[in-house]
């Protein structure tokens, strides 16, 4: 789960990390009063969307002005003007895709006098199964370009879970950033605090870009991106409350209500499968035969008819879907339950695209006869290979 920058900064503040004062703003009418609570003389108005690259982004609407999603204002009145321009407008950045994202929240923050911009993130490195730091002197807006062109400027190191965070990790960060004296001490302190926040809140990623040195020699987290491990959210009701549904894919929200493991993708073939491994194999074989999956969907082991119906509806509601492949291996899951769910869903929402159903395993004969006697235009398949070829052929017609 992702959260907004201002929410991430509130968490960092809780753990004692240095962040500027700021006020979240949902309505333009509140912007002036919000800015007036800040020290000034510089106010930064920042669009809050779940995507990076806001500074270099641009708005679709001409009325939003041409200054991007992070704007420096010289007075509370100017901060208010920027707020009016940005709220409700659509911001397009390298991370939002062409459609962009509507800005529904802003963060008005104290402006910093920046001396240097660094990059620092903490993440879980799956290769080593350890929490790792990624640090670079080349912070600011283009870390992907740095990683591509000058990878030697990025320093990475893991934290041994047996020792946890140690003073030498802080020194490593300070060295990597070329910091000495008091700034090195601040870097050590920050390293410990960020790590503590990461572990305590079950984060998956904590990215500070930029981490800055101010003109008066202070480290400060100027941007913050945090994602949390979904499987640990039950331990953090305070974090779960920060979820902003307006930032998420509607189909994924609907799927999460039914406890379906669903991820929207860009292809044309909607997939309904049981078991993550089988779902991956199904996606691979669709690719092999020349099409792409529109989603990953694992209905799980003990899916009910209601769950299957919900899954089917989510798939058919996606305008990108040009064909549907149901691929079920009945173990705990029974083929007749799947068949009934699919038929019920088709009767409810209709079927405008070709549907291939491949059933195997428990109660397969009953499942097949339910499909066959339904009177619906379903293409039956006997194995995975056959099923993939049939749906790809049907979509290409
Ligand atoms: P994004 O990464 O989405 O572009 P950032 O929060 O990193 O958004 O802001 C982009 C740039 O704007 C930063 O690299 C920094 O130069 C500037 N900036 C952001 N916040 C402030 C601030 N509070 N004071 C001064 N400059 C800021
Ligand atoms: Mg940034």
């Amino acid at each position: 789960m992702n959260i907004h920058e201002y929410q991430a900064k509130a968490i960092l503040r809780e753990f004692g990390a240095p962040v500027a004062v700021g006020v979240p703003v949902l309505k333009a009418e509140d912007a002036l009063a919000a800015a007036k609570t800040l020290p000034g003389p510089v106010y930064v108005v920042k669009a809050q969307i779940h995507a990076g690259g806001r500074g270099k982004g641009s708005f679709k609407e001409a009325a939003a002005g041409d200054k991007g999603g992070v704007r420096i204002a010289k007075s509370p009145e100017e901060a208010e003007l920027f707020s009016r321009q940005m709220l409700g407008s659509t911001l397009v950045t390298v991370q939002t895709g062409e459609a962009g994202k509507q800005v529904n929240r802003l963060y008005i923050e104290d402006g910093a006098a920046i001396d240097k911009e660094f990059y620092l993130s903490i993440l879980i490195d799956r290769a080593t199964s350890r929490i790792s730091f990624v640090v670079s002197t080349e912070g600011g807006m283009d870390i992907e370009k740095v990683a591509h062109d000058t990878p030697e400027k990025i320093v990475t190191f893991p934290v041994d879970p047996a020792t946890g965070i140690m003073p030498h990790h802080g020194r490593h960060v300070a060295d990597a950033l070329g910091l000495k004296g008091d700034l090195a001490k601040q870097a050590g302190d920050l390293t410990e605090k960020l790590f503590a926040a990461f572990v305590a809140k079950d984060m998956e990623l904590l990215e500070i870009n930029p981490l800055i040195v101010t003109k008066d020699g202070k480290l400060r987290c100027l941007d913050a991106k945090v994602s949390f491990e979904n499987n640990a959210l039950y331990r953090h009701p305070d974090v779960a409350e920060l979820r902003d549904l307006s930032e998420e894919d509607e189909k994924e929200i609907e799927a999460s209500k039914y406890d379906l493991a669903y991820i929207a993708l860009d292809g044309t073939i909607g997939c309904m499968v049981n078991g993550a491994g089988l779902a991956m194999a199904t996606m691979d074989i669709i690719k092999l035969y020349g099409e792409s999956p529109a989603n990953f969907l694992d209905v799980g082991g003990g899916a009910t008819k209601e769950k299957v119906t919900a899954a089917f509806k989510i798939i058919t509601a996606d305008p990108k879907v040009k064909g549907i492949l149901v691929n079920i291996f009945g173990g705990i899951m029974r083929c007749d339950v799947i068949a009934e769910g699919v038929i019920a869903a088709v009767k409810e929402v209709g079927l405008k695209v070709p549907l291939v159903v491949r059933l195997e395993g428990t109660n397969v004969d009953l499942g097949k006869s339910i499909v066959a006697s339904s009177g619906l235009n379903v293409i039956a398949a006997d194995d995975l290979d056959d099923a993939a070829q049939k749906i790809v052929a049907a979509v290409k017609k």
Side-chain angles (χ1 to χ4, degrees):
M1 188 188 95
N2 297 322
I3 57 172
H4 290 291
E5 172 198 1
Y6 77 92
Q7 298 167 324
K9 284 179 168 171
I11 294 176
L12 295 185
R13 192 177 290 123
E14 230 180 87
F15 283 82
V19 291
V21 282
V23 190
V25 168
L26 306 178
K27 294 194 299 255
E29 301 89 273
D30 300 337
L32 185 65
K36 281 183 172 164
T37 65
L38 301 176
V42 177
Y43 310 81
V44 183
V45 186
K46 308 183 76 172
Q48 300 294 292
I49 55 171
H50 286 188
R54 295 163 300 164
K56 288 194 174 162
S58 56
F59 283 91
K60 284 204 160 166
E61 299 82 1
D66 58 359
K67 287 200 172 73
V70 176
R71 301 185 181 183
I72 313 282
K74 297 281 162 46
S75 66
E77 287 72 23
E78 198 180 12
E80 185 195 20
L81 171 72
F82 290 155
S83 301
R84 287 194 187 285
Q85 292 176 333
M86 282 200 258
L87 274 173
S89 301
T90 313
L91 181 58
V92 181
T93 81
V94 286
Q95 289 184 11
T96 60
E98 269 172 43
K101 280 200 158 167
Q102 190 179 52
V103 177
N104 300 316
R105 305 181 190 199
L106 297 172
Y107 190 45
I108 305 186
E109 187 179 64
D110 183 33
I114 304 173
D115 187 23
K116 286 194 189 107
E117 295 197 329
F118 300 136
Y119 176 93
L120 187 155
S121 66
I122 308 179
L123 46 81
I124 293 172
D125 179 356
R126 290 177 196 272
T128 58
S129 309
R130 290 180 176 192
I131 297 175
S132 295
F133 279 81
V134 179
V135 189
S136 176
T137 50
E138 309 303 301
M141 299 201 239
D142 268 329
I143 193 67
E144 290 81 6
K145 192 170 170 350
V146 179
H148 182 265
D149 299 348
T150 48
E152 69 282 0
K153 290 190 172 158
I154 296 181
V155 175
T156 315
F157 63 89
V159 176
D160 189 327
T163 65
I165 197 82
M166 303 278 280
H168 71 84
H169 295 120
R171 289 197 292 276
H172 205 148
V173 168
D175 278 352
L177 297 178
L179 300 174
K180 305 227 154 42
D182 183 55
L183 274 169
K185 223 176 123 229
Q186 290 181 46
D189 193 45
L190 179 67
T191 302
E192 269 177 37
K193 286 171 172 162
L194 294 180
F195 187 85
F198 188 94
V199 174
K201 298 286 181 187
D202 286 309
M203 293 179 187
E204 207 169 59
L205 171 74
L206 166 54
E207 184 182 61
I208 312 295
N209 186 28
L211 167 67
I212 61 158
V213 179
T214 61
K215 291 245 160 66
D216 56 356
K218 298 270 187 300
L219 276 183
R220 190 190 271 187
C221 305
L222 211 63
D223 188 8
K225 175 182 174 175
V226 172
S227 342
F228 298 91
E229 168 58 59
N230 285 352
N231 293 313
L233 273 182
Y234 75 96
R235 299 204 284 215
H236 307 287
D238 54 327
V239 169
E241 255 176 42
L242 303 176
R243 188 168 173 197
D244 180 357
L245 291 175
S246 69
E247 292 285 333
E248 295 179 23
D249 186 293
E250 273 174 36
K251 300 188 290 305
E252 290 181 13
I253 296 169
E254 189 62 20
S256 72
K257 284 189 204 153
Y258 290 91
D259 215 16
L260 295 161
Y262 173 93
I263 295 164
L265 300 168
D266 293 331
T268 54
I269 297 182
C271 304
M272 183 156 93
V273 189
N274 67 327
L278 189 58
M280 298 297 275
T282 306
M283 290 159 60
D284 277 351
I285 202 158
I286 287 171
K287 270 267 185 212
L288 183 71
Y289 286 114
E291 282 291 325
S292 299
N295 65 279
F296 169 95
L297 172 61
D298 172 10
V299 291
T304 56
K305 192 175 129 191
E306 288 68 37
K307 217 166 150 176
V308 172
T309 311
F312 200 83
K313 280 192 201 161
I314 292 166
I315 293 175
T316 48
D318 182 348
K320 290 197 303 290
V321 169
K322 301 282 178 277
I324 300 170
L325 173 54
V326 175
N327 181 29
I328 300 294
F329 185 83
I332 302 169
M333 181 86 229
R334 289 169 11 227
C335 292
D336 54 316
V337 172
I338 289 282
E340 278 177 6
V342 170
I343 304 298
V346 170
K347 286 193 173 146
E348 207 178 315
V349 298
L351 186 62
K352 295 181 194 70
V353 296
L355 167 66
V356 172
V357 177
R358 180 253 175 163
L359 299 172
E360 191 55 82
T362 311
N363 288 2
V364 60
D365 293 334
L366 183 55
K368 282 186 176 171
S369 74
I370 290 171
V371 173
S373 62
S374 69
L376 297 170
N377 184 19
V378 177
I379 308 166
D382 289 323
D383 58 40
L384 182 48
D385 216 49
D386 182 38
Q389 290 186 44
K390 279 180 173 158
I391 191 63
V392 170
V395 165
K396 286 202 165 142
K397 257 187 211 157

